[in-house]
Amino acid sequence: MTSSEQIFTTLVLPYLNHAVRTYESGYASVSDIDAAMRFGCGYPKGPLTVVDEIGVAQVRDLLGARYAETGDHLHEPAGLLEKLAAEGRTFADEAAAAGEGAAPQLKHEINRVGVVGTGTMASGIVQVFAQAGYDVVFVGRSQDKLDGVIGYITKNLDRAIAKGKGTEGDKDALLGRLTGATEREALGDVDIVVEAIAEDLDIKLELFRDLDRIAKPGAILATTTSSLPITKLGEATGRPQDVIGMHFFNPAPVMKLVEIITTPATSADVDETVRALTANVGKVGVSAGDRSGFIVNLLLFPYLNDAIKLAEGGEELATVDAAIKETAGFPMGPFELLDVVGNDVSLAIQRELYGEFGEPGFEPAATLVAKVEAGELGRKTGKGFHTY
Ligand code: 3HC
């Protein structure tokens, strides 16, 4: 076996197994798991399609061999692989048996959208809604931060114009749909608020209490959190039925996925409206429950963590990055992506997953912890796994 193939076996097979287990547990459908990884991470194919292509029995056997070497529960072939192999069935058969639901409809009228936050995710989300024709009110803590959002969007639009994918007129029209505000009261007449502020429960709880006071009755209150309990945010308001997760991916204007997270209290109408709105802004929505990691982070971060552990064993970073792009066709190698996401964010997510699932294999890699302690967070600090 060549080294590239070894790297594929070490990093990609456990990811495939994890995807099978996620489906097997009933957490998400075959189509949503595959769409999540294609549209959230830019993978050419979803993991369950890849399992079908390699062959269910072959994946079981490859994992079985790996499990015999490592004894790691994460490598033990999922029971469903055995079952499907025995029945001669595939994940495509499972998806076909589940059938497709009807296209979602807007049950609430959505004209004006509010966004809270001025960071990278918030800026991207403002752009996504304005690009789809919505008037957007965005709220930040200072005029400087509001200007930063306009700067981010202007830069993206200028880059698109330079590539012949838009005109100055389109840009002016889009920027004309934006209203920045330093006071949350400006959100009083929006139909949906999407918050993308700091990933800290107390900070978000305070915001949701305030949104409950400010937003008009019936307005949808959405959060982009990737790791905090949305149920708790709903409970901080007097309207938990209107609270939902809309988890966008980085960079938001490019990545087509939105994970739509309902809590036990979210109303069916709010869920359907957000699924319809997601489609209206040109994104692909997948549905998942309020649990740490949702679909993408659950499948992505243990694989990134495994890559770090592989490098700790002496593998070169550039070799791993290149091998993954070549063998799996992923758009970025694991270390390139870690540097884009930020090691601090990755460590926080990995810790959440380790806490929620208690899998020994999910324990954050020592080097990830060390990088964060050294302030080597990735592109944003000029150095992470690679240097910029
Ligand atoms: N903002 C806006 N647009 C951007 C952008 C940005 N930051 N970066 C790139 N683009 C646009 C480019 O303008 C270009 O647009 P065009 O096709 O209309 O001309 C398009 O994206 C492709 O860009 P490039 O050709 O420069 O670069 P690539 O082909 O290398 O693609 C990429 C860049 C889309 C980022 C690709 O590398 C990719 O898909 N990477 C995977 C990213 C990923 O996995 N994200 C998920 C991270 S996990 C997460 O977000 C969850 C959270 O909870 C942590």
Side-chain angles (χ1 to χ4, degrees):
M1 221 175 8
T2 70
S3 176
S4 280
E5 279 164 1
Q6 260 161 2
I7 290 169
F8 182 89
T9 306
T10 308
L11 297 183
V12 180
L13 279 176
Y15 148 73
L16 299 178
N17 203 32
H18 197 187
V20 174
R21 285 194 177 149
T22 300
Y23 168 66
E24 188 177 34
S25 73
Y27 181 63
S29 69
V30 169
S31 332
D32 280 358
I33 289 172
D34 273 4
M37 301 314 288
R38 284 175 60 209
F39 299 110
C41 301
Y43 293 178
K45 289 166 189 165
L48 300 174
T49 297
V50 173
V51 173
D52 278 354
E53 285 184 3
I54 297 174
V56 174
Q58 171 77 353
V59 170
R60 174 203 57 193
D61 294 346
L62 289 168
L63 278 163
R66 179 116 182 93
Y67 180 50
E69 273 170 39
T70 65
D72 183 341
H73 161 71
L74 296 172
H75 303 156
E76 186 179 3
L80 185 61
L81 287 170
E82 192 58 64
K83 183 168 179 283
L84 291 180
E87 292 169 357
R89 297 180 71 245
T90 63
F91 285 97
D93 295 332
E94 290 282 294
E100 297 238 325
Q105 306 295 321
L106 287 171
K107 301 284 179 173
H108 293 227
E109 201 176 328
I110 307 282
N111 296 312
R112 277 170 82 72
V113 174
V115 175
V116 189
T118 50
T120 311
M121 288 311 292
S123 303
I125 293 166
V126 170
Q127 181 180 335
V128 166
F129 282 107
Q131 217 149 18
Y134 291 96
D135 288 326
V136 184
V137 180
F138 63 103
V139 176
R141 284 175 292 175
S142 68
Q143 189 57 46
D144 264 9
K145 292 195 187 267
L146 298 180
D147 293 344
V149 175
I150 302 290
Y152 172 95
I153 296 174
T154 304
K155 198 167 132 203
N156 282 341
L157 298 176
D158 284 342
R159 193 167 46 191
I161 294 169
K163 285 185 182 169
K165 291 185 175 170
T167 65
E168 287 291 337
D170 299 336
K171 178 174 117 184
D172 292 345
L174 191 156
L175 293 174
R177 288 194 280 277
L178 305 182
T179 309
T182 51
E183 298 297 329
R184 290 178 185 162
E185 309 331 280
L187 299 168
D189 66 344
V190 301
D191 302 301
I192 179 170
V193 181
V194 181
E195 75 75 20
I197 62 169
E199 192 73 349
D200 177 301
L201 186 59
D202 287 334
I203 295 177
K204 287 203 201 282
L205 285 171
E206 186 276 326
L207 173 65
F208 272 76
R209 283 187 208 107
D210 216 19
L211 291 177
D212 191 26
R213 176 181 66 78
I214 294 165
K216 69 184 185 188
I220 296 173
L221 306 181
T223 170
T224 56
T225 184
S226 59
S227 60
L228 300 171
I230 300 168
T231 306
K232 285 212 170 112
L233 301 179
E235 286 166 355
T237 72
R239 40 174 126 177
Q241 72 281 359
D242 296 331
V243 175
I244 193 162
M246 280 187 93
H247 183 218
F248 286 82
F249 287 78
N250 192 355
V254 187
M255 305 315 288
K256 286 191 78 99
L257 187 71
V258 179
E259 287 178 315
I260 298 166
I261 312 300
T262 51
T263 77
T266 308
S267 80
D269 278 1
V270 166
D271 177 21
E272 188 170 348
T273 299
V274 168
R275 287 190 288 126
L277 177 66
T278 299
N280 284 355
V281 299
K283 301 286 183 194
V284 174
V286 296
S287 299
D290 188 20
R291 187 180 82 177
S292 192
F294 311 141
I295 303 173
V296 172
N297 288 353
L298 176 67
L299 299 183
L300 176 64
F301 285 86
Y303 142 80
L304 295 175
N305 200 46
D306 278 353
I308 303 170
K309 291 180 182 170
L310 186 64
E312 287 169 353
E315 205 67 60
E316 292 289 331
L317 305 185
T319 308
V320 177
D321 279 343
I324 286 297
K325 287 189 277 191
E326 178 201 322
T327 58
F330 295 176
M332 291 178 173
F335 299 105
E336 293 165 329
L337 183 58
L338 280 158
D339 283 351
V340 165
V341 170
N343 288 326
D344 50 342
V345 175
S346 296
L347 179 59
I349 291 172
Q350 192 59 30
R351 281 189 170 139
E352 278 288 331
L353 293 175
Y354 185 45
E356 169 108 27
F357 295 94
E359 281 282 359
F362 286 3
E363 186 175 4
T367 309
L368 182 60
V369 178
K371 290 270 174 204
V372 174
E373 282 169 1
E376 295 177 7
L377 304 184
R379 281 181 178 270
K380 61 189 171 188
T381 59
K383 185 165 166 48
F385 282 94
H386 297 290
T387 304
Y388 300 88

